[in-house]
Amino acid sequence: MNRLSQEEFFKSLPRKIVGAATVFLNEADEVLMVKPNYRTGWLLPGGAVEQLESPQEACIRETKEETNLDIVSPKLLSVFFSKRLDVTPKYESLQFIFFGGKLSSDDIKKIKVQKKELDDFAFYSREEALKLVGKSLGKRLSASLDALASGAFSVYGESEGKGQ
């Protein structure tokens, strides 16, 4: 009987894309959104989790890289499983959304978007923000804002479809 080595076993496991994003609110409870230059629509600050990096670490790193904002201990709002069957190659992902806190006017003055990937940032009401994002991110953002409003701070969900 041939046995798999530990290395062969781990190579045989499926790989998932993991992403982490941050919800920030201003004093009017509007959501901080960023405008990427590589696609249409708006996003939350965030990005891909790198190898050997936790989702929370990625949230902190990506937020700093994209907005120049420092966060110490973001609180988990939601985790969503997503699969894309309409693209090649097909893929699946886990998307984490954290709460970075409420930003003061002084905090907002410190925001500097990463010009390599982003064109701009703005604050939008919940309704406006949900119109600016794709269906999948809209579902995640809506659930995350509901969790934040209720104090639940953890929502798990699944989505399937096109786009972020």
Side-chain angles (χ1 to χ4, degrees), residues 14 38 127:
Y38 55 87
E127 296 75 24

PDB file of all heavy atoms in Angstrom, residues 14 38 127:
ATOM      1  N   PRO A  14      -7.708  21.092  -1.303  1.00  0.00           N
ATOM      2  CA  PRO A  14      -8.160  22.240  -2.098  1.00  0.00           C
ATOM      3  C   PRO A  14      -7.654  23.552  -1.494  1.00  0.00           C
ATOM      4  O   PRO A  14      -7.379  23.629  -0.294  1.00  0.00           O
ATOM      5  CB  PRO A  14      -9.691  22.160  -2.010  1.00  0.00           C
ATOM      6  CG  PRO A  14      -9.967  21.331  -0.812  1.00  0.00           C
ATOM      7  CD  PRO A  14      -8.804  20.422  -0.611  1.00  0.00           C
ATOM      8  N   TYR A  38      -8.676  49.353 -10.826  1.00  0.00           N
ATOM      9  CA  TYR A  38      -8.537  48.156 -11.652  1.00  0.00           C
ATOM     10  C   TYR A  38      -9.867  47.472 -11.943  1.00  0.00           C
ATOM     11  O   TYR A  38      -9.897  46.400 -12.551  1.00  0.00           O
ATOM     12  CB  TYR A  38      -7.571  47.157 -10.988  1.00  0.00           C
ATOM     13  CG  TYR A  38      -7.960  46.796  -9.574  1.00  0.00           C
ATOM     14  CD1 TYR A  38      -8.844  45.755  -9.308  1.00  0.00           C
ATOM     15  CD2 TYR A  38      -7.446  47.519  -8.502  1.00  0.00           C
ATOM     16  CE1 TYR A  38      -9.209  45.437  -8.013  1.00  0.00           C
ATOM     17  CE2 TYR A  38      -7.801  47.204  -7.201  1.00  0.00           C
ATOM     18  CZ  TYR A  38      -8.677  46.167  -6.962  1.00  0.00           C
ATOM     19  OH  TYR A  38      -9.030  45.871  -5.671  1.00  0.00           O
ATOM     20  N   GLU A 127     -27.444  52.833   2.357  1.00  0.00           N
ATOM     21  CA  GLU A 127     -28.178  52.647   1.108  1.00  0.00           C
ATOM     22  C   GLU A 127     -27.322  52.995  -0.103  1.00  0.00           C
ATOM     23  O   GLU A 127     -27.319  52.269  -1.100  1.00  0.00           O
ATOM     24  CB  GLU A 127     -29.460  53.486   1.108  1.00  0.00           C
ATOM     25  CG  GLU A 127     -30.472  53.079   2.166  1.00  0.00           C
ATOM     26  CD  GLU A 127     -30.102  53.514   3.600  1.00  0.00           C
ATOM     27  OE1 GLU A 127     -29.343  54.495   3.771  1.00  0.00           O
ATOM     28  OE2 GLU A 127     -30.554  52.845   4.537  1.00  0.00           O
TER      29      GLU A 127
END
